[in-house]
Amino acid sequence: QVQLVESGGGLAQAGGSLRLSCAASGSRFSIYTMAWYRQAPGKQRELVASIAPGGRTDYADSVKGRFSISRDDAKSTVYLQMNSLKPEDTAAYYCYARLVVSTSVYYWGQGTQVTVSS
């Protein structure tokens, strides 16, 4: 019912920045908790950051202070501003949406690759 399309991935140098975008369609964006996950080759997917409808955010310790998640409900879009990138940030980044009132209603984007070189 909800489609998520990520964009903004690419190649960056260590210390550089990228901004990921996730555009949602198909339902009321404002009632979903949004998040970014990432998965590196050979590793399991991990939560990077999340943002609730009210704006409350949470971050993985590994990205705290470097990444910032935000949302624009009018545009049904969530962003991940990635600063001070490190090679270990290299991964496929996935947008995720979950209905606030349900743990069983959730959606995944197709992913966008982020590669950080030294």
Side-chain angles (χ1 to χ4, degrees):
Q1 194 169 6
V2 173
Q3 289 189 331
L4 305 173
V5 181
E6 303 99 329
S7 62
L11 179 65
Q13 292 185 324
S17 298
L18 288 172
R19 189 179 78 155
L20 306 184
S21 298
C22 173
S25 63
S27 191
R28 291 185 61 186
F29 182 82
S30 61
I31 61 175
Y32 285 82
T33 289
M34 303 298 298
W36 289 95
Y37 285 75
R38 67 185 181 188
Q39 187 169 23
K43 292 191 173 184
Q44 64 182 5
R45 194 169 298 184
E46 65 173 350
L47 176 66
V48 177
S50 66
I51 183 166
R56 191 180 188 97
T57 58
D58 287 293
Y59 297 92
D61 288 342
S62 60
V63 307
K64 190 174 182 180
R66 299 188 298 119
F67 292 7
S68 179
I69 189 171
S70 61
R71 64 192 294 157
D72 186 339
D73 288 351
K75 296 181 178 180
S76 296
T77 301
V78 63
Y79 304 94
L80 184 67
Q81 180 66 46
M82 309 166 66
N83 298 324
S84 302
L85 284 164
K86 302 176 180 179
E88 50 262 48
D89 294 320
T90 295
Y93 283 71
Y94 297 88
C95 185
Y96 170 88
R98 182 179 66 80
L99 195 66
V100 170
V101 298
S102 177
T103 58
S104 61
V105 180
Y106 57 90
Y107 305 89
W108 290 98
Q110 83 286 358
T112 184
Q113 179 67 38
V114 171
T115 301
V116 183
S117 66
S118 60

